Amino acid sequence: MKFFVDTAEIDAIRDLAATGLLDGVTTNPSLIAKSGRDFMEVTREICGLVDGPVSAEIVALDYPTMMKEAEVLRKIADNVCIKVPLTVDGLKTCKALSGEGTMVNVTLCFSANQALLAAKAGATFISPFVGRHDDNGFDGMDLIEDIRLIYDNYDFATEILVASVRHTTHVLQAAKIGADVMTAPPKVIHDLFKHVLTDKGIEGFLADWAKTGQSIL
Ligand code: E4P
């Protein structure tokens, strides 16, 4: 499963990129606003930090303007992935852009039928929002299971990008279901490394090592 980080904070992206485990970045208008940075400038900087796809979201809602915005964004770098909302015009834009070889991430997906439409529109990624689904009394992971089943039934190439990830259990469930990608805030990715028994084990080994009086270097 590929790991994308869901942020527009440069330091957090640089930090995770240094682990060698980061496959891409997702942003959205709220994350850009939170960063306080200029959209074009920060997106360009992010594209230079990772080799993989960097999702940049268009904000227009009508097809002609969506295409114009996509035209501006896709010139930023080769690894820009245009993020479009799951609407009729969004999927029209998806179809046109993917036909031209541009990566497209269809966002704000909350049903398996929506995911089916996105795949038919040639989306590179479909982003079902599991956390927001859970928040509204549904089971976000049931949605991922349904989409996996449908995509496998028809051999769709669209990758399932599990979004709105809130905790490490979402990551585990996504991996068990066989999602292609997950995008999570930096804290959740850092939490994946942690286990209390790992810390306790290191502590015990170092205490015993100190008793030997030896050093490796
Ligand atoms: C995905 O691409 C979105 O940016 C993101 O995962 C939304 O997550 P949220 O529900 O925590 O805002």
Side-chain angles (χ1 to χ4, degrees), residues 106-125:
V106 177
T107 190
L108 291 165
C109 169
F110 292 93
S111 82
N113 279 335
Q114 287 181 317
L116 176 59
L117 293 172
K120 285 174 70 66
T124 315
F125 302 104

Side-chain angles (χ1 to χ4, degrees), residues 7-108:
T7 187
E9 304 296 333
I10 292 294
D11 288 348
I13 296 167
R14 191 177 284 119
D15 190 35
L16 281 165
T19 65
L21 301 177
L22 192 62
D23 302 298
V25 178
T26 50
T27 68
N28 64 40
S30 305
L31 293 171
I32 296 294
K34 195 172 162 202
S35 77
R37 298 275 312 271
D38 173 78
F39 181 29
M40 299 295 287
E41 187 189 280
V42 77
T43 304
R44 190 170 296 112
E45 207 171 327
I46 295 170
C47 287
L49 289 177
V50 292
D51 295 330
V54 174
S55 290
E57 190 160 341
I58 55 176
V59 290
L61 293 175
D62 65 284
Y63 172 69
T65 320
M66 282 172 146
M67 287 301 289
K68 280 186 198 152
E69 288 186 352
E71 196 50 46
V72 173
L73 295 181
R74 70 179 168 182
K75 284 192 185 124
I76 293 176
D78 288 344
N79 55 337
V80 163
C81 174
I82 305 297
K83 212 174 178 188
V84 302
L86 209 153
T87 60
V88 173
D89 286 52
L91 292 189
K92 250 174 100 175
T93 305
C94 173
K95 181 90 183 166
L97 293 174
S98 60
E100 293 170 7
T102 297
M103 288 187 286
V104 183
N105 177 357
V106 177
T107 190
L108 291 165

Side-chain angles (χ1 to χ4, degrees), residues 150-167:
I150 292 167
Y151 281 14
D152 289 351
N153 280 348
Y154 298 101
D155 275 336
F156 282 123
T158 301
E159 296 189 33
I160 303 173
L161 196 174
V162 178
S164 188
V165 164
R166 299 276 159 77
H167 44 71

